[in-house]
């Protein structure tokens, strides 16, 4: 079946959802020798970075499903999965979904005590963990047995796998979680229908350039990777999934694998900004796609200056220098980016602009009582979308705390302009009410510093209300070769503007090697404040 025909068939298929895309793609006549998935580690003796065909992928999933079924895993059974390799996470997800079970995918960088508590709260039937994470769980009460490793699961007999579970649209399909760096993460539940809602919409649209050979630099346990696996299968696309997403690994993979699209979080683009990209072979990249936190202008500009893209001219389609960056704002709870804006080298709409919402979602800017605010006024972002998560697993209190008047409150502060575009100013918890109707924003402040200081590759702004008033601390990650001894205080103060600049307490240069990297970057403010600013104040 041609890809266009397959995409249309999937979009119209009422049975397809996040839990059975692989099975439905094959049922619609996709070539078993066509593209499945490619992993950066070996899979059951299959070499790393050698593509698994669609048929081979289905067989490896069936082997794991048989192994898990033999150990008593049944429909609607939660099973925690804690591993590092993308192959372990993705194949475990596909196998558990085939059984109708509920995979709970966990960030491999969680502290062991937090991971153990998270597993206990799941009240699952078992845990799949690789050797390294099995060792970390030793001595902890998990409330569930260790079933074995994902590698052991691959030894199952694919012919013994039960028939694919037939999902109802409301069936729970996966539990992912928030970062978990500052405490036990929230367990985010998606259903068969909710986690396919955005993909179904995208399948009705023309396939974008940069989506036929994809480098997935998204964290493997994240909702975004589950989405990308299903999108790649639905598009009959080739996709290499990375187990680690630091900048050097991503650049090496681009040069080695030559993708036309790279998908990741803003923290990865910030890491790429540390490198002189002109020294790398990035010409194959047409598209950079960002989700999670929206990205900063200087990071985007560095990326769109490299790569190449197809453009339509009077003479036909022509390949021109410079790539495209699609920015968005999303979270595990949203089930997909809610907004999108396209940047090229010749575009200039920045200032934390996240563009317009996708057609499948409704959004609003609300006051504290859940009422819409006027255009241009800052308020809380409310979302209503078929892609939204179903709630926090075993935590109805938190689930309903973030619901108001039919909206899911994302925790973001935004505003709109007269043309219907949205701008992201900050996470609500990171902003500070300075009185007199003034609110100070950290993310917007970081944007201004980076735009004004070309010798700074990244920065973190922490604004805190203390007994003596509001104070602002700024950490600067300097570009290679920048003068570390230079006092940038006044330059930073001017970039911040009168309101935030008037609260500036200190500017602290930090080394890139000391910056903690998390899967989303949202917790950097907390970690960096504890690590550097407390030391600076003592």
């Amino acid at each position: 079946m041609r890809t266009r025909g397959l995409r249309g068939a999937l979009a119209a298929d009422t049975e397809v959802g996040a839990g059975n895309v692989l099975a439905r793609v094959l049922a619609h006549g996709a070539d078993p020798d066509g593209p499945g998935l490619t992993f950066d580690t070996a899979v059951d003796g299959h070499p790393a970075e050698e593509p698994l065909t669609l048929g081979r992928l289905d067989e490896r999933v069936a082997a794991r499903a048989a192994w898990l079924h033999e150990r008593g895993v049944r429909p609607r059974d939660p099973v925690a999965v804690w591993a590092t390799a993308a192959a372990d996470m993705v194949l475990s997800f596909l196998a558990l979904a085939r059984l109708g079970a509920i995979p709970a995918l966990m960030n491999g960088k969680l502290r062991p005590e937090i991971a153990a508590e998270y597993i206990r709260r799941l009240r699952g039937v078992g845990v799949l963990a690789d050797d390294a994470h099995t060792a970390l769980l030793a001595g902890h009460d998990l409330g569930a047995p260790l079933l074995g490793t994902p590698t052991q699961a691959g030894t199952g007999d694919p012919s013994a796998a039960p028939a694919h579970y037939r999902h109802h649209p409301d069936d729970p399909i996966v539990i992912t979680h928030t970062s978990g760096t500052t405490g036990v993460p929230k367990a985010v539940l998606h259903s068969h229908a909710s986690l396919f809602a955005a993909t179904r919409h995208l399948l009705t649209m023309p396939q974008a350039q940069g989506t036929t050979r994809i480098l997935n630099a998204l964290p493997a346990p994240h909702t975004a990777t589950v989405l990308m696996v299903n999108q790649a299968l639905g598009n009959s696309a080739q996709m290499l999934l990375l187990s680690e997403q630091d900048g050097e690994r991503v650049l090496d993979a681009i040069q080695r694998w030559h993708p036309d699209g790279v998908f990741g979080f803003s923290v990865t683009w910030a890491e790429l900004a540390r490198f002189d990209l002109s020294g790398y072979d990035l010409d194959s990249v047409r598209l950079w796609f960002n989700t999670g936190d929206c990205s900063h202008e200087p990071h985007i500009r560095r990326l769109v200056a490299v790569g190449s893209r197809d453009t339509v001219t009077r003479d036909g389609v022509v390949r021109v220098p410079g790539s495209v960056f699609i920015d968005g704002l999303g979270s595990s709870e949203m089930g997909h980016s809610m907004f999108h804006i396209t940047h090229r080298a010749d575009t200039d709409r920045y200032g934390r602009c996240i563009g317009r919402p996708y057609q499948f979602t409704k959004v609003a800017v609300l006051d504290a009582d859940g009422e819409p605010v006027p255009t241009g006024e800052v308020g809380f972002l409310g979302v209503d979308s078929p892609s939204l998560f179903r709630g926090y697993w075993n935590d109805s209190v938190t689930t309903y705390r973030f619901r108001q008047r039919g909206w899911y409150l994302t925790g973001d502060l935004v505003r709109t302009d007269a043309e219907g575009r949205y701008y992201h100013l900050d996470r609500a918890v990171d902003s500070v009410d300075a009185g007199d109707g003034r609110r100070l924003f950290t993310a917007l402040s970081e944007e201004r510093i980076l735009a004004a200081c070309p010798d700074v590759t990244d920065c973190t702004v922490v604004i805190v209300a203390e007994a003596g008033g509001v104070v602002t601390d700024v950490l600067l990650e300097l570009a290679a070769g920048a003068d570390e001894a230079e006092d940038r205080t006044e330059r930073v103060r001017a970039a911040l503007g009168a309101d935030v600049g008037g609260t500036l307490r200190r500017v602290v240069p930090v080394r890139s090697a000391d910056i903690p990297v998390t899967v989303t970057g949202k917790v950097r403010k907390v970690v960096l404040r504890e690590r550097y600013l407390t030391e600076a104040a003592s």
Side-chain angles (χ1 to χ4, degrees):
M1 177 178 286
R2 292 184 306 160
T3 302
R4 178 178 295 180
L6 174 63
R7 296 176 79 246
L10 287 172
D13 185 346
T14 58
E15 290 189 31
V16 72
N20 65 357
V21 173
L22 175 58
R24 297 307 297 166
V25 163
L26 288 165
H28 282 291
D31 184 359
D33 292 327
L37 297 172
T38 304
F39 297 102
D40 61 352
T41 56
V43 174
D44 305 341
H46 190 86
E49 297 199 13
E50 184 174 308
L52 286 165
T53 64
L54 199 61
R56 178 69 168 159
L57 175 65
D58 185 57
E59 179 197 46
R60 292 299 83 214
V61 170
R64 286 161 172 76
W67 188 91
L68 290 160
H69 188 264
E70 183 180 334
R71 281 151 185 79
V73 176
R74 297 295 185 266
R76 292 173 297 282
D77 282 347
V79 176
V81 185
W82 201 28
T84 296
D88 287 345
M89 303 303 296
V90 171
L91 293 173
S92 297
F93 160 76
L94 291 171
L96 288 162
R98 177 176 175 141
L99 294 174
I102 313 168
L105 309 181
M106 297 171 56
N107 176 5
K109 297 179 181 179
L110 289 177
R111 298 202 306 270
E113 65 276 14
I114 289 179
E117 178 61 24
Y118 181 79
I119 292 169
R120 278 195 298 274
R121 295 184 185 185
L122 288 173
R123 296 171 58 191
V125 302
V127 180
L128 272 178
D130 61 19
D131 289 332
H133 290 91
T134 296
L136 292 175
L137 292 173
H140 290 280
D141 175 19
L142 306 179
L146 284 162
L147 300 175
T149 70
T151 299
Q152 290 172 328
T155 63
D157 178 4
S159 66
H164 203 299
Y165 175 78
R166 186 175 180 183
H167 292 88
H168 182 275
D170 293 336
D171 277 337
I173 197 64
V174 69
I175 299 169
T176 58
H177 64 69
T178 53
S179 66
T181 307
T182 56
V184 180
K186 297 188 288 292
V188 179
L189 175 67
H190 280 282
S191 73
H192 185 59
S194 70
L195 202 53
F196 193 71
T199 301
R200 189 184 297 277
H201 169 76
L202 294 174
L203 288 170
T204 66
M205 302 173 66
Q207 186 172 349
Q209 64 173 304
T211 59
T212 59
R213 187 173 173 85
I214 298 165
L215 179 66
N216 186 72
L218 295 158
H222 201 276
T223 306
T225 286
V226 178
L227 284 165
M228 283 310 305
V229 165
N230 283 336
Q231 287 184 27
L233 293 173
N235 285 330
S236 297
Q238 302 173 69
M239 185 165 74
L240 169 62
L241 294 102
L242 296 183
S243 301
E244 300 285 346
Q245 297 82 36
D246 63 88
E248 191 166 4
R249 288 178 189 267
V250 171
L251 289 172
D252 287 346
I254 293 172
Q255 294 189 116
R256 188 172 62 251
W257 203 68
H258 304 293
D260 61 8
V262 183
F263 287 60
F265 283 152
S266 61
V267 65
T268 295
W269 318 134
E271 285 211 8
L272 294 186
R274 300 172 183 169
F275 297 86
D276 177 5
L277 298 182
S278 65
Y280 293 83
D281 177 12
L282 307 178
D283 188 59
S284 68
V285 180
R286 289 169 162 83
L287 169 68
W288 311 87
F289 186 93
N290 176 68
T291 188
D293 302 336
C294 55
S295 293
H296 289 304
E297 175 182 354
H299 301 158
I300 296 172
R301 287 196 180 277
R302 285 181 172 90
L303 293 171
V304 297
V306 297
S308 59
R309 70 185 189 278
D310 294 333
T311 187
V312 179
T313 70
R314 292 181 178 178
D315 299 321
V317 177
V318 176
R319 189 82 174 267
V320 298
S323 52
V324 169
F325 188 102
I326 296 180
D327 199 7
L329 178 72
S331 66
S332 296
E333 292 91 339
M334 294 182 199
H336 193 273
S337 298
M338 293 291 99
F339 300 87
H340 61 97
I341 183 171
T342 300
H343 296 286
R344 299 183 302 273
D346 59 349
T347 57
D348 60 1
R349 187 173 295 281
Y350 288 97
R352 305 286 294 174
C353 182
I354 52 177
R356 295 184 171 90
Y358 279 98
Q359 292 180 359
F360 59 82
T361 188
K362 295 190 297 183
V363 299
V365 186
L366 309 167
D367 63 18
D369 296 320
E371 298 294 340
V373 303
T375 297
E377 186 174 317
V378 177
F380 299 94
L381 176 61
V383 175
D384 182 17
S385 169
S387 68
L388 278 179
F389 75 123
R390 303 295 91 178
Y392 295 113
W393 185 258
N394 288 341
D395 191 356
S396 57
V397 172
T398 305
T399 296
Y400 290 104
R401 182 174 289 128
F402 292 95
R403 302 277 182 170
Q404 187 176 34
R405 297 179 181 267
W407 298 103
Y408 164 64
L409 301 179
T410 68
D412 297 288
L413 294 173
V414 299
R415 68 172 178 85
T416 59
D417 64 18
E419 297 174 309
R421 297 184 182 89
Y422 288 73
Y423 295 77
H424 181 265
L425 305 180
D426 213 352
R427 296 284 296 170
V429 295
D430 294 327
S431 68
V432 171
D433 185 349
D436 301 324
R438 296 179 302 129
R439 182 169 286 274
L440 308 184
F441 307 109
T442 62
L444 183 60
S445 297
E446 290 161 359
E447 179 84 11
R448 290 171 174 171
I449 291 171
L450 290 171
C453 302
D455 55 350
V456 174
T457 60
D458 206 0
C459 68
T460 297
V461 173
V462 182
I463 305 176
V464 179
E466 298 186 344
V470 176
V471 294
T472 297
D473 296 314
V474 176
L475 294 101
L476 304 178
E477 182 185 344
L478 303 181
D483 183 1
E484 295 185 12
E486 179 186 342
D487 183 357
R488 293 171 174 78
T489 303
E490 292 311 312
R491 189 150 50 115
V492 168
R493 193 189 308 277
L496 291 172
D499 281 351
V500 180
T503 69
L504 183 62
R505 179 168 62 178
R506 66 172 69 91
V507 176
V508 182
V510 297
R511 297 177 303 169
S512 61
D514 295 333
I515 299 286
V517 177
T518 70
V519 293
T520 65
K522 290 180 180 177
V523 298
R524 284 165 58 100
K525 293 180 176 64
V526 175
V527 177
L528 286 172
R529 180 172 179 81
E530 292 177 352
R531 181 176 297 183
Y532 291 101
L533 300 180
T534 302
E535 294 176 3
S538 61

